Amino acid sequence: MKLGRAASWFLLAFGVWSWFIWVSFVRNLWKDASGLAFDDAGDPTAYFWVHLTLAITSFLLGTVVGLIGLRGVMALRREARGDAAGRDGAV
């Protein structure tokens, strides 16, 4: 399957966005002082574990999607270089 330029860049951007959002989310979850993520004794609550699982899953899926986009962008660039070399007479 061949991805188009727009789809490749969209998937790559989604992967980068996923890294930014979910790493920030986990950092904020870890620093939570509202009492939702950690109880009075400092132990993680069910809220913490559910949201950490959600974040890790979303981070991994975003990484996979981003890698697919990166592969598409790289393939398009290789193809463009091959076309340019063919037009210049180089083989």
Side-chain angles (χ1 to χ4, degrees):
M1 179 178 166
K2 184 176 176 183
L3 290 174
R5 184 176 315 280
S8 296
W9 279 107
F10 175 78
L11 295 175
L12 180 58
F14 181 86
V16 170
W17 175 256
S18 180
W19 272 65
F20 175 74
I21 291 298
W22 293 109
V23 169
S24 299
F25 180 83
V26 169
R27 190 177 308 130
N28 292 334
L29 181 65
W30 199 266
K31 295 178 185 178
D32 180 54
S34 70
L36 288 173
F38 299 97
D39 61 16
D40 294 335
D43 296 325
T45 62
Y47 176 90
F48 174 84
W49 292 114
V50 166
H51 285 83
L52 183 63
T53 302
L54 170 69
I56 291 170
T57 302
S58 297
F59 176 76
L60 291 174
L61 290 172
T63 300
V64 170
V65 168
L67 288 173
I68 292 169
L70 180 62
R71 288 182 65 188
V73 168
M74 291 172 56
L76 289 168
R77 287 189 177 184
R78 276 192 306 271
E79 183 179 293
R81 262 185 288 170
D83 289 347
R87 280 180 279 164
D88 294 339
V91 179

